[in-house]
Amino acid sequence: ALQQGRAHVVRLGEHAADGPAFTPAGSGEFSYDDVPAGDYVVQATVSGGPRGTEYAMRTLTVAHTDPDALFLRTSPGSSVSGRFVLEGANGGEVMWGYAASAHPVGVAWTGESKSNLGGPIADGEPFRMSALAGPTRLKISSDDENWYLKSMFINGFDAADAIFDFGFDGRDYTDVDVVFSRLGATLTGRTTDERGTAVRDYAVYVFSTDRDKWVPDSRWVRVARVAAVGAFLIRSLPPGNYWAVAVDRVDILSSAADPADPALLETLLPYAASVVVGESETRDV
């Protein structure tokens, strides 16, 4: 029985963080009173044990009578291990720095984060993340503007943008290639008024035409501040189809909002211009 852990009960369709939390008694028992009828998810986490952090999740339907006691069996989180692959690297070239984080979806626990910001990453350097459980979105990026994340295949599934379900059976996913490419596209341009005069104090949003890529911290959504002469530069874009738009009235430097917020991008669509870029291509907008 878990003596140090957390249990959460969350109504299906609601954010996990909104559910009440309860610390089990020494026997591992927990209870919730006055639970309205409906469909729920019950989650449990425990840390500090001999097997590291463990997780469990069950669904149940609550009717107008008390349900039978629910039994949760926790298991260790899964791990992902492999290597960094630097596509297009010239002999001995390195990538400077990376950050990786796990974002569980619809659950109440926090994923692992790790980084080597500013440190050299060589082709073939080992990569590993652990404590992964349930549906999770992995985010891996580099602060080196010469590189962009191209792919990350886990069991044949490209998880560079999508949610991957790690389950609750503590599996080890090995031979994962985290591919960063030096063959990204470059977008340049100027912002002008109707007279052709350069304007400043604008932000240029460039975002994929594919709405499925409008996810938090998306590699397919970039923002650049326009320089004093009206010029802007965006490097290492993944090849693809984009919308580009210059916006005043949006202070991206002080805003805590994610530029990939779908509601924001929808408001920009009517004013955006289409642009298509390929590998290593430079386009002027």
Side-chain angles (χ1 to χ4, degrees):
L2 302 185
Q3 298 185 15
Q4 294 182 353
R6 299 286 282 175
H8 293 255
V9 58
V10 185
R11 185 186 289 271
L12 279 177
E14 296 182 0
H15 194 279
D18 295 334
F22 187 86
T23 302
S27 62
E29 296 178 352
F30 61 90
S31 65
Y32 294 94
D33 298 325
D34 302 321
V35 178
D39 295 322
Y40 291 86
V41 175
V42 180
Q43 305 166 8
T45 57
V46 60
S47 57
R51 300 193 298 177
T53 304
E54 299 194 21
Y55 310 87
M57 187 169 73
R58 290 279 302 275
T59 58
L60 79 157
T61 299
V62 177
H64 298 289
T65 58
D66 291 346
D68 295 335
L70 190 67
F71 182 73
L72 297 177
R73 181 183 297 278
T74 65
S75 63
S78 295
S79 67
V80 166
S81 60
R83 67 202 64 81
F84 286 100
V85 176
L86 302 185
E87 181 185 79
N90 299 316
E93 187 176 20
V94 299
M95 178 178 72
W96 291 97
Y98 81 94
S101 56
H103 302 268
V105 178
V107 296
W109 51 78
T110 302
E112 180 188 32
S113 296
K114 61 191 310 181
S115 66
N116 182 22
L117 297 178
I121 308 298
D123 184 49
E125 184 159 329
F127 171 82
R128 179 178 173 83
M129 291 190 73
S130 56
L132 304 169
T136 300
R137 190 186 299 276
L138 295 181
K139 291 292 182 182
I140 305 179
S141 61
S142 175
D143 52 352
D144 188 334
E145 63 179 7
N146 294 314
W147 302 87
Y148 78 93
L149 177 67
K150 182 174 183 178
S151 62
M152 177 176 49
F153 281 93
I154 304 175
N155 274 16
F157 177 80
D158 190 356
D161 298 301
I163 296 170
F164 188 86
D165 191 352
F166 289 97
F168 296 92
D169 53 357
R171 295 183 59 185
D172 293 324
Y173 297 89
T174 59
D175 296 323
V176 175
D177 285 343
V178 180
V179 181
F180 277 86
S181 175
R182 214 187 190 290
L183 308 179
T186 300
L187 210 60
T188 64
R190 297 176 68 244
T191 55
T192 66
D193 61 19
E194 65 276 10
R195 297 180 300 275
T197 303
V199 293
R200 51 184 295 180
D201 297 327
Y202 274 69
V204 174
Y205 278 70
V206 176
F207 52 100
S208 173
T209 58
D210 183 354
R211 286 174 169 82
D212 290 339
K213 293 183 171 68
W214 298 357
V215 297
D217 300 317
S218 175
R219 63 195 175 111
W220 298 91
V221 179
R222 300 283 294 277
V223 185
R225 175 65 80 183
V226 174
V229 294
F232 67 90
L233 170 67
I234 298 177
R235 302 178 63 182
S236 299
L237 270 176
N241 299 344
Y242 291 89
W243 295 111
V245 58
V247 185
D248 58 0
R249 300 191 308 275
V250 177
D251 189 346
I252 60 158
L253 297 181
S254 62
S255 173
D258 190 325
D261 178 8
L264 170 62
L265 299 184
E266 286 287 355
T267 66
L268 300 181
L269 269 180
Y271 313 101
S274 176
V275 57
V276 180
V277 290
E279 280 193 345
S280 302
E281 183 179 11
T282 298
R283 290 290 304 274
D284 190 70
V285 179

